[in-house]
Amino acid sequence: MIEPGPHTAAVSWTRRSYLLLAVGGALLVAALAVRSAVPLVLAVPLLVAPFVAAWSVPGGLGRIDLSWQETGAGKEVVVEGTLAGALGRGARDLEVTTQVPEAFVALRPTDYDYAGGTVRFRTAYAIPEPTVVTLPPAEVAWVDPMGLSRRETEGERPKLALDRFPIGLKGMGAVRLDRTIQLPGESVSRRVGSSGEFFTVRRAQTGEPLRRINWVASARIGKLLANDYHLDRAGDLIVLVDRRPSGLGEVHDERLLSLSKAAAFGVADSLLRGKIRIGFASFGEFVEALPLSTGRVQRLRIFEAINGLTLAPVAGPPPRCVFGLRRYYRPGVTTLVISSWAGESTGELVPYLRLSGYPVVMLSPSTVPLGAGVYPLTAGEEAVARAIERLERREKLAALWPYGTVIDWEDFWSLSGLVHSLRQPVHRRRS
Amino acid sequence: MNATGSEEGRPGQPVGAVVLVVAVGLFALAGGTFAPWSVVAGMAGAIASVLLRLRAGPRPTLAPLVPVLLALAALSVLAVPSGLASLAAGGVGIAFLLWLADDPARRPGGARRAGRPLGLAALAVAGVWTFSFLGIRAPASTALAVAALAVGIVLLAVLLGRLAAEPSPHHRPPPARPDDLGLPFLAARERRRP
């Protein structure tokens, strides 16, 4: 490696350089062994090229800032961005390296475009399943045309948040959920929809639209108050993700957790658009929870919480989950439990929740697609194996049917079963 | 200015690949040992490398380089020593570097942008070939040439290290930012600025 000077980043050799040097060295030894000048002359370009490539770093390369965003839809993730700053003469050999999850499949080489002293880049990936992930800051480096040496550049490198969840959740619309906290003056209505029936007056929040401010009431009270409508108070929902190990193995558990995270964020995002208060909790060894709230800030909080979820090393006992939840949420809030129910202990969680007064809707990412293609089976044998697996899974999930709606999620790009279930009108309990 | 336009050549033109395959074939012929077999083996190695790189996708890997390097190493060791064979060996080395620069996974025009490094490598090849052709006829003195080349490369490395350690006269350090100065309120104000 060439030593860096003051104010310059290090120029380093790539693995390709080391390969050329190794082959060149071997050729030198061979030249001595066979006493021939032919391997010697062949070794010369292989040995000289890494040095010459490291020497040819263009001038004017300085601080380069990166800005990027994700613009794809569905199963295609398109990352677009701009490099701006001191690009120098090496602008054409700048490369952006993004660390993406292994499941991402690059669809084509990154496309670079020069315009007005900036470099725009665009790359696309195909993703097999819904996901919620934050890409780490990309590396921007100058790489010589032969790919032998590389120099990192400095500058702003933001992270990129990426979320892909089943498309059907976007159009979920209004759903009927139980309310937890009855406000003074609240009247029970079975109606949900787009009509904005006046409900109550409440304290205005930061960034409240002006047309929502109740100016007369504000003048009377001396504080800024806003109108609240029936539509705004559609109900509350807790999204609970079970991140305990199931016994299927770490690889399958990680994959199921990734799907659970995508579904949880999709449901939370869609319902938060409908002004529903969402609480988010995860249960591994202990409960980690976000209180019920709504709005964009809550969406961001939930995204951060979901993004940070990892598989718990130890499974906590189900009663601990219920005690933890009761610290954050009053019983009676509809709870969406997302779990694979693949292990023995995971099945016990729902009865405890139900006995503690939480109405549950259960969403279970299926383990059936995970087994596809693992064993060398013919198409017919594969179909039979999947059918047997489905029957076994159905029997396992049947034990949960008395406690609430169970949605077996096998087509990971569709959650129509869950949407249908949440949109069913709930018959209110008589008090 | 668009790098993907016609200015630097269309992407996917297999110039470097064709040059490499032809150069390997000529080198095998110039080597003069087992001519038909060595030509086929050498060109097969080159074609395997070209195909592997086409299939490798956008991420650069070492695997495509291995078949052609193995073929070249075998051909060079088996070649009958002669001035023509040495010249062909140098030529195929340069062709190999040209093929590296003409990577379809990277921006087109790499071979043109790599002109200066390729020229310097060709100069080094010319120097060593002249030295070997004119000065070293006796096979025993190949050791002398190897030693001279090794010393030359070490000197080159030391020289480059010094060049990299000295700041360029055209280099200007980046302006100080409020974060660097430890002034968080200034940094916050700068972030708020549109």
Side-chain angles (χ1 to χ4, degrees):
Chain A
M1 186 185 290
I2 310 293
E3 287 296 319
H7 312 302
T8 58
V11 180
S12 59
W13 278 333
T14 60
R15 289 186 302 161
R16 203 176 258 193
S17 279
Y18 291 109
L19 177 68
L20 294 199
L21 289 174
V23 174
L27 285 171
L28 284 188
V29 174
L32 279 173
V34 300
R35 295 174 182 277
S36 166
V38 179
L40 173 69
V41 180
L42 177 61
V44 172
L46 305 186
L47 291 172
V48 169
F51 291 97
V52 175
W55 174 66
S56 61
V57 178
L61 204 61
R63 183 186 173 85
I64 296 173
D65 292 330
L66 165 82
S67 59
W68 57 344
Q69 67 275 343
E70 197 275 313
T71 58
K75 296 177 187 177
E76 193 177 72
V77 170
V78 179
V79 177
E80 290 182 330
T82 308
L83 302 175
L87 303 177
R89 281 180 284 128
R92 287 173 194 283
D93 288 315
L94 284 175
E95 278 193 2
V96 180
T97 314
T98 315
Q99 300 290 329
V100 293
E102 280 183 20
F104 282 40
V105 179
L107 293 175
R108 48 187 169 270
T110 306
D111 187 25
Y112 295 88
D113 192 25
Y114 301 91
T118 60
V119 178
R120 281 181 291 179
F121 63 93
R122 187 174 193 274
T123 185
Y125 303 94
I127 51 171
E129 289 163 357
T131 186
V132 173
V133 68
T134 298
L135 300 184
E139 291 176 2
V140 181
W142 173 86
V143 182
D144 83 280
M146 290 181 284
L148 298 176
S149 62
R150 170 184 184 88
R151 185 183 149 188
E152 301 292 337
T153 63
E154 294 173 352
E156 282 192 18
R157 304 279 186 271
K159 293 178 182 174
L160 181 63
L162 251 172
D163 59 78
R164 278 289 183 287
F165 43 82
I167 303 155
L169 288 176
K170 291 262 186 194
M172 189 189 282
V175 296
R176 185 71 194 168
L177 297 165
D178 283 348
R179 273 168 263 168
T180 321
I181 304 163
Q182 301 274 327
L183 295 178
E186 182 177 8
S187 60
V188 175
S189 166
R190 292 178 64 84
R191 182 163 46 84
V192 288
S194 56
S195 66
E197 186 79 15
F198 175 75
F199 172 64
T200 187
V201 173
R202 59 168 169 80
R203 183 79 60 88
Q205 294 171 346
T206 312
E208 193 79 53
L210 284 179
R211 64 181 179 178
R212 288 201 165 221
I213 303 294
N214 189 329
W215 297 106
V216 176
S218 301
R220 196 174 292 144
I221 301 294
K223 292 173 182 171
L224 211 54
L225 299 175
N227 288 337
D228 212 354
Y229 299 94
H230 272 301
L231 182 65
D232 300 342
R233 308 211 55 81
D236 302 329
L237 179 77
I238 304 168
V239 179
L240 172 64
V241 171
D242 184 1
R243 56 187 181 90
R244 293 176 296 167
S246 67
L248 290 173
E250 197 177 341
V251 174
H252 284 341
D253 279 346
E254 288 282 359
R255 199 168 156 197
L256 289 169
L257 179 64
S258 168
L259 286 165
S260 300
K261 285 158 70 174
F265 183 68
V267 170
D269 181 69
S270 306
L271 295 184
L272 282 171
R273 286 171 200 270
K275 306 284 178 66
I276 289 171
R277 293 200 311 166
I278 302 286
F280 174 76
S282 69
F283 180 53
E285 192 176 357
F286 300 98
V287 171
E288 290 169 18
L290 284 175
L292 287 164
S293 185
T294 189
R296 278 178 290 181
V297 176
Q298 179 72 352
R299 181 185 183 276
L300 189 64
R301 275 195 209 120
I302 291 177
F303 181 83
E304 295 288 336
I306 288 177
N307 204 19
L309 284 188
T310 52
L311 202 64
V314 180
R320 188 185 285 168
C321 175
V322 178
F323 293 141
L325 282 186
R326 291 187 73 149
R327 289 182 59 200
Y328 291 91
Y329 316 108
R330 292 171 62 177
V333 188
T334 306
T335 307
L336 172 67
V337 187
I338 307 177
S339 173
S340 64
W341 282 288
E344 292 296 324
S345 61
T346 50
E348 297 167 9
L349 181 61
V350 171
Y352 276 101
L353 283 171
R354 197 69 194 88
L355 286 172
S356 300
Y358 293 98
V360 288
V361 175
M362 291 160 273
L363 175 67
S364 177
S366 176
T367 52
V368 175
L370 307 186
V374 173
Y375 300 106
L377 302 175
T378 62
E381 291 168 343
E382 187 83 34
V384 172
R386 294 288 83 77
I388 293 171
E389 233 176 308
R390 268 190 204 101
L391 282 174
E392 190 188 0
R393 184 170 161 73
R394 191 176 171 81
E395 192 183 349
K396 202 173 274 181
L397 293 184
L400 300 170
W401 289 350
Y403 303 106
T405 313
V406 184
I407 295 119
D408 189 5
W409 186 26
E410 195 171 322
D411 176 9
F412 296 135
W413 285 104
S414 167
L415 264 176
S416 53
L418 177 70
V419 173
H420 180 72
S421 168
L422 287 177
R423 295 194 74 172
Q424 290 288 319
V426 174
H427 299 290
R428 294 195 66 82
R429 295 178 298 279
R430 290 176 186 278
S431 56
Chain B
M1 198 157 44
N2 192 345
T4 57
S6 58
E7 185 189 346
E8 294 188 341
R10 288 178 201 152
Q13 282 181 341
V15 179
V18 171
V19 170
L20 177 70
V21 173
V22 171
V24 171
L26 290 176
F27 175 49
L29 280 174
T33 316
F34 317 118
W37 179 84
S38 59
V39 170
V40 170
M43 290 180 78
I47 290 169
S49 283
V50 169
L51 293 179
L52 273 177
R53 192 168 74 171
L54 283 176
R55 288 192 62 184
R59 291 188 179 179
T61 55
L62 288 182
L65 276 63
V66 174
V68 69
L69 284 175
L70 284 178
L72 288 179
L75 288 177
S76 67
V77 170
L78 294 174
V80 177
S82 68
L84 184 64
S86 300
L87 188 63
V92 81
I94 300 297
F96 172 73
L97 295 180
L98 181 75
W99 173 70
L100 281 187
D102 198 24
D103 193 340
R106 298 189 65 194
R107 258 158 293 171
R112 186 179 297 177
R113 292 198 302 279
R116 197 166 62 159
L118 284 175
L120 286 172
L123 208 62
V125 166
V128 172
W129 178 78
T130 309
F131 185 61
S132 70
F133 187 65
L134 298 179
I136 310 172
R137 282 306 177 93
S141 56
T142 309
L144 180 67
V146 170
L149 184 62
V151 169
I153 285 175
V154 169
L155 284 176
L156 191 64
V158 171
L159 181 68
L160 287 179
R162 286 196 175 176
L163 279 178
E166 288 170 9
S168 158
H170 304 295
H171 180 267
R172 195 173 55 183
R177 298 167 67 82
D179 284 336
D180 303 335
L181 299 173
L183 301 172
F185 62 94
L186 272 180
R189 198 166 64 182
E190 190 166 283
R191 274 196 289 275
R192 279 201 299 273
R193 201 175 289 168

